[in-house]
Amino acid sequence: MATQSQSQFFASLKRYYSFYTGGFVAFVIIVAILEQMGVPNKVLGYIFLAATVLLYAGIGVMSRTADVSEYYVAGRRVPALFNGMATGADWMSAASFIGMAGTLYLSGYDGLAFVLGWTGGYCLVALLLAPYLRKFGQFTIPDFLGARYGGNIPRSIGVFAAILCSFTYVIAQIYGVGLITSRFTGLEFGVGVFAGLGGILVCSFLGGMRAVTWTQVAQYIILIVAYMIPVVWLSVKHTGNPVPQIAYGYVLEKVTAREVVLNDPTTPDGAKEAEVRAIFKTRQEATEAKLKALEAGGATYLAEEKAKLETAAATLKATKDADPAAVAAADKAVTDFPADAAAAKAAWTKAAAGAKAKTAPIASHAEPFAGKDQAAIDKKRKNFLALVLCLMVGTAALPHILMRYYTTPSVKEARKSVFWSLFFIFLLYFTAPALAVLAKFDVYTLLVGSSFSELPSWVASWAAVDKTLMSVTDINKDGIVQLAEITIGGDLIVLATPEIAGLPYVITGLVAAGGLAAALSTADGLLLTIANALSHDVYYKMIDPHAPTTRRLAISKGLLLVVAVFAAYVTSLKPGDILFLVGAAFSLAASAFFPALALGVFWKRANKWGAILGMSAGLGTCMYYMYMTYPFFGVNAPLWWDINPISAGIFGMPAGVIGVIVGSLLTTAPNKEIQDLVDHVRYPNLEGDIDTKAA
Amino acid sequence: MQLTEKHKEYWQKNLRVTGILLALWFIVTFVIGYFARDLQSITILGFPFPFYMGAQGSLAIYVAIIWYYAHYMNKLDKEYGVHEGDD
């Protein structure tokens, strides 16, 4: 390796990845030809997923290493451009790739909190952390805490927090892997999880950070191509302009105009919408009446209701020439009837809420913080800004991202590398809002008003796959689709775009491969962070500092395996809601790490006790608020200032900052050595400087 | 190690550019976000202004902030003789 200079290395990397991109395009063309020859879609799905996972495995095997520096930080010679791509893939998870456009479709302006939060955080990374961490130049984030604050306590809190937020986040990724594999290959969810896990492990197990880095670059290329092709196509279809990001402003104007028409009951389309909403209103009231009666009558009422349904079914069957569909529906109503009062309450509450959601007029896509009065508007605005801040600061504190900046050759390259990172992330993030608007335009103008007898083919095919993603029911029996009759799940937008745009199935397979690349690359980075925190920080730095290299690596690899299997096991139990898990990881990281890391660089007076107090106060406050308010834990305490549990970091961060300041000022200033360390990280190169670099 | 006046000046300049860029970051994110409803009537390329900023404008400014910081600091390192070797 040493024989090759950095510029030669850069040139050969460029050559490899150009060949690779060409090869990938050729592969997609071959699959497209296979499709034309009549190979069934399911087989195409298998080919795509198997080929990409094998490719990642191949890179993993080629990058296997037994060198500590290669294993932990890819030999510190990843050029800025490639580290940018790797960070992009590391960063963009299943939630970004599949979920984000859907969130924007469903919540309009308010969904932009994710777009802003997940990009703006890189300003904090670039200005406050990346160059300084690179100068410090060891292996993990707890390493920095350990050296800057001294002693094992700050390091241990760092290890705990790193594992907590990475583990929360990795569950969401493995869930995404399971979802994609099961949807496109027909394997069961649990099997899909473990199959995907194999793909993650072959890569990181043999080559650590080095293998993960080069795989992530490959994954970035796949995911960005897969995301762009369908959106460009859809843009051409609706605007004639192949640059969706420029073209969709005018589409948004049309969507807004259409919203006004559909909300106005004096227009023919608006009247139909109002009719459907009125039906839902009646349903909601009827269900609420049933709930009330259940409250009063209990089991007796339930039995009476069931008897009524049975009689109705029996009468129907006794009638001559009864419609078989009606008979089946009556029978189904009897069998589906809730078994006991608790089940009935749960089912009816859900049904009432579902109907209620359909009674509201269409929300305007471009309007920020829509609400019925000023209080509702203020509450939405407050939560929007709080979420943006938590996501941004969380971005600048997630160990698997910060760790990537240890891998560049110099401080200068680290700075440039943050630029490339955000640039590559930006490409996807400024496309997602365009996709949401284009898809909305398609639904509002082409699907609404079409006849139930000739629905677009993508609607029928996705409704057949999963009712929660797509369902249309003719509520007012007029044979025409109204907007209120359509139910769309957020994940549908990205998954169905190729079909909405009228592209062949090969592009759908490509999108699946892109989603898988996004989820796998993030999971790789996270698992490595957890395993490294345990093997490097706990075992090597705290238990056995004299451990030989081979044992350190063996332990790291063993832990990686254990953590991965454990994470997959937890995922297969399907805990909680994905978006919340992701949000929780950001709030936790923001509260635990950010104050101690940033003040560690910018405030020399910050000391060990400040860090201990700040990190535990931040983490503690954040965890306490989540536990008390997130419904999953069942406490349901009142919210503080109406802030949603996903933004718990808004309380954790100030607690962390105050903790560091108070704790530091109450105890003595750090010694000369620590102060020299701070100067060391502040200047890329100092005469007579100390050296903190790890081999 | 002893820091010279020049070193201190370097750090002051770094703090100043960091502060200015963070202020810009704060404005395009939180000030525009806070006043989003009041800025709704301004239109740009067919977009209402706050939506444009949230979906594109602010993002592009973030990219520019990071580019400028890298460019400025890499130059400053050379000026003050604290740059690394040419590897």
Side-chain angles (χ1 to χ4, degrees):
Chain A
M1 304 290 162
T3 54
Q4 211 180 18
S5 80
Q6 191 64 27
S7 60
Q8 281 171 324
F9 182 54
F10 185 55
S12 47
L13 278 175
K14 275 202 284 198
R15 204 169 51 241
Y16 290 152
Y17 281 105
S18 309
F19 277 131
Y20 159 80
T21 311
F24 183 68
V25 171
F27 167 75
V28 174
I29 293 172
I30 292 171
V31 180
I33 294 171
L34 285 179
E35 182 183 2
Q36 296 307 315
M37 286 165 56
V39 176
N41 287 352
K42 198 157 207 172
V43 176
L44 297 178
Y46 269 113
I47 293 179
F48 253 111
L49 299 187
T52 50
V53 170
L54 278 179
L55 172 79
Y56 308 144
I59 299 178
V61 172
M62 285 196 302
S63 313
R64 67 188 178 279
T65 180
D67 179 276
V68 174
S69 167
E70 291 282 348
Y71 186 86
Y72 283 118
V73 287
R76 280 191 228 283
R77 53 200 188 102
V78 183
L81 176 80
F82 289 99
N83 194 45
M85 280 196 216
T87 313
D90 200 11
W91 177 243
M92 288 186 281
S93 57
S96 298
F97 190 91
I98 296 182
M100 185 183 289
T103 307
L104 289 164
Y105 178 96
L106 296 174
S107 45
Y109 180 92
D110 296 356
L112 291 175
F114 291 96
V115 176
L116 283 170
W118 285 342
T119 52
Y122 278 86
C123 289
L124 302 176
V125 175
L127 300 174
L128 304 179
L129 296 170
Y132 308 112
L133 286 174
R134 174 60 193 87
K135 179 66 197 300
F136 172 66
Q138 287 196 3
F139 293 142
T140 66
I141 299 308
D143 261 343
F144 178 76
L145 296 168
R148 169 64 181 83
Y149 293 113
N152 278 340
I153 307 176
R155 186 192 286 271
S156 308
I157 303 176
V159 168
F160 173 74
I163 293 176
L164 182 69
C165 53
S166 303
F167 198 79
T168 314
Y169 203 18
V170 84
I171 303 259
Q173 300 316 312
I174 299 184
Y175 193 91
V177 172
L179 208 66
I180 295 166
T181 11
S182 61
R183 177 151 297 144
F184 285 88
T185 59
L187 292 172
E188 216 179 300
F189 179 80
V191 182
V193 162
F194 280 93
L197 188 69
I200 299 172
L201 280 178
V202 278
C203 172
S204 41
F205 186 69
L206 294 168
M209 193 63 162
R210 169 168 143 141
V212 167
T213 301
W214 303 123
T215 315
Q216 282 173 339
V217 175
Q219 285 164 331
Y220 178 79
I221 294 170
I222 292 185
L223 79 86
I224 198 70
V225 171
Y227 204 84
M228 289 297 179
I229 291 180
V231 188
V232 168
W233 215 279
L234 195 59
S235 174
V236 171
K237 176 182 167 188
H238 286 309
T239 67
N241 185 336
V243 189
Q245 296 86 353
I246 296 176
Y248 82 105
Y250 300 101
V251 179
L252 180 61
E253 277 185 337
K254 288 186 208 161
V255 168
T256 309
R258 185 80 179 139
E259 284 159 354
V260 174
V261 171
L262 293 177
N263 272 337
D264 179 2
T266 59
T267 63
D269 285 353
K272 290 276 187 192
E273 292 293 336
E275 188 183 311
V276 176
R277 283 204 289 267
I279 296 174
F280 277 114
K281 182 90 192 151
T282 325
R283 286 188 186 181
Q284 178 205 339
E285 283 162 1
T287 319
E288 280 168 356
K290 270 172 31 181
L291 275 171
K292 236 186 211 148
L294 178 69
E295 203 99 326
T300 335
Y301 169 73
L302 211 58
E304 280 170 20
E305 285 296 296
K306 187 162 184 179
K308 269 190 221 163
L309 286 178
E310 281 165 351
T311 323
T315 325
L316 197 61
K317 276 183 207 158
T319 336
K320 244 173 88 187
D321 308 323
D323 177 12
V327 173
D331 276 339
K332 194 168 177 314
V334 175
T335 43
D336 286 354
F337 198 76
D340 55 40
K345 192 173 174 200
W348 292 346
T349 312
K350 201 175 150 207
K356 189 173 178 215
K358 292 279 189 183
T359 61
I362 303 150
S364 164
H365 190 83
E367 187 188 347
F369 328 126
K372 59 180 188 314
D373 52 26
Q374 194 58 38
I377 289 171
D378 283 345
K379 190 175 153 189
K380 272 197 176 173
R381 170 162 71 185
K382 205 158 54 180
N383 272 296
F384 178 87
L385 296 174
L387 181 59
V388 170
L389 186 66
C390 284
L391 296 176
M392 281 187 173
V393 179
T395 303
L398 277 173
H400 75 288
I401 291 301
L402 294 177
M403 208 167 76
R404 287 232 53 96
Y405 297 102
Y406 280 135
T407 66
T408 58
S410 63
V411 176
K412 189 177 157 197
E413 290 279 300
R415 293 186 188 126
K416 280 202 267 179
S417 169
V418 192
F419 161 72
W420 283 116
S421 305
L422 184 60
F423 175 76
F424 288 123
I425 293 166
F426 168 77
L427 288 183
L428 191 142
Y429 279 33
F430 92 128
T431 311
L435 173 56
V437 169
L438 290 168
K440 205 166 217 179
F441 180 71
D442 209 289
V443 169
Y444 282 19
T445 55
L446 297 182
L447 182 54
V448 171
S450 66
S451 148
F452 268 92
S453 54
E454 34 197 292
L455 290 172
S457 60
W458 64 270
V459 176
S461 69
W462 281 97
V465 173
D466 189 340
K467 286 274 175 223
T468 58
L469 283 184
M470 177 83 223
S471 80
V472 276
T473 325
D474 196 0
I475 301 291
N476 61 349
K477 312 273 182 229
D478 66 349
I480 306 289
V481 179
Q482 272 85 41
L483 187 57
E485 294 173 341
I486 309 169
T487 305
I488 284 183
D491 290 350
L492 177 83
I493 303 301
V494 167
L495 295 175
T497 301
E499 287 151 277
I500 299 177
L503 288 163
Y505 189 81
V506 60
I507 303 297
T508 305
L510 182 64
V511 168
L516 192 66
L520 286 178
S521 55
T522 309
D524 267 335
L526 289 163
L527 285 175
L528 203 58
T529 306
I530 300 173
N532 290 357
L534 289 170
S535 67
H536 177 76
D537 290 301
V538 177
Y539 177 74
Y540 177 60
K541 290 285 180 172
M542 296 188 327
I543 298 176
D544 183 5
H546 305 292
T549 312
T550 43
R551 195 187 312 154
R552 281 166 69 189
L553 288 188
I555 287 191
S556 189
K557 289 177 179 180
L559 281 168
L560 189 70
L561 203 62
V562 173
V563 172
V565 172
F566 181 64
Y569 168 73
V570 174
T571 311
S572 63
L573 303 176
K574 299 196 179 184
D577 151 29
I578 294 298
L579 196 64
F580 178 77
L581 286 177
V582 172
F586 282 81
S587 271
L588 290 170
S591 312
F593 284 113
F594 188 77
L597 288 176
L599 289 171
V601 174
F602 286 91
W603 193 42
K604 274 192 185 171
R605 183 67 177 76
N607 68 10
K608 179 178 172 181
W609 294 106
I612 294 172
L613 188 65
M615 291 174 75
S616 8
L619 193 59
T621 310
C622 182
M623 286 167 73
Y624 173 80
Y625 190 69
M626 279 181 189
Y627 177 75
M628 294 303 282
T629 55
Y630 186 57
F632 179 79
F633 297 107
V635 183
N636 291 322
L639 299 178
W640 297 349
W641 293 284
D642 297 324
I643 294 290
N644 295 330
I646 192 173
S647 309
I650 206 78
F651 305 114
M653 285 183 272
V657 173
I658 294 170
V660 175
I661 295 176
V662 171
S664 300
L665 291 179
L666 286 181
T667 47
T668 51
N671 61 26
K672 175 87 171 54
E673 257 167 63
I674 302 267
Q675 306 229 11
D676 280 353
L677 171 75
V678 178
D679 281 328
H680 166 75
V681 301
R682 285 180 179 183
Y683 300 90
N685 187 21
L686 272 183
E687 301 265 329
D689 194 5
I690 50 167
D691 189 8
T692 56
K693 259 194 280 178
Chain B
M1 104 205 88
Q2 198 54 51
L3 292 180
T4 60
E5 279 309 307
K6 217 176 162 200
H7 281 134
K8 287 184 183 145
E9 202 181 308
Y10 167 85
W11 183 247
Q12 286 308 317
K13 283 201 166 176
N14 177 15
L15 288 183
R16 204 185 63 198
V17 71
T18 305
I20 293 171
L21 293 175
L22 278 182
L24 183 61
W25 164 83
F26 183 84
I27 292 169
V28 298
T29 313
F30 295 103
V31 177
I32 293 182
Y34 188 86
F35 292 106
R37 285 184 72 86
D38 310 294
L39 300 168
Q40 193 66 357
S41 53
I42 309 170
T43 315
I44 168 170
L45 290 170
F47 297 94
F49 177 69
F51 188 93
Y52 180 78
M53 289 308 283
Q56 270 181 28
S58 298
L59 278 65
I61 293 173
Y62 300 148
V63 176
I65 287 176
I66 299 177
W67 178 83
Y68 180 78
Y69 179 75
H71 174 79
Y72 179 89
M73 288 306 291
N74 290 344
K75 219 173 71 189
L76 199 69
D77 284 355
K78 287 220 156 134
E79 251 173 61
Y80 282 80
V82 293
H83 62 287
E84 307 145 295
D86 278 331
D87 189 29

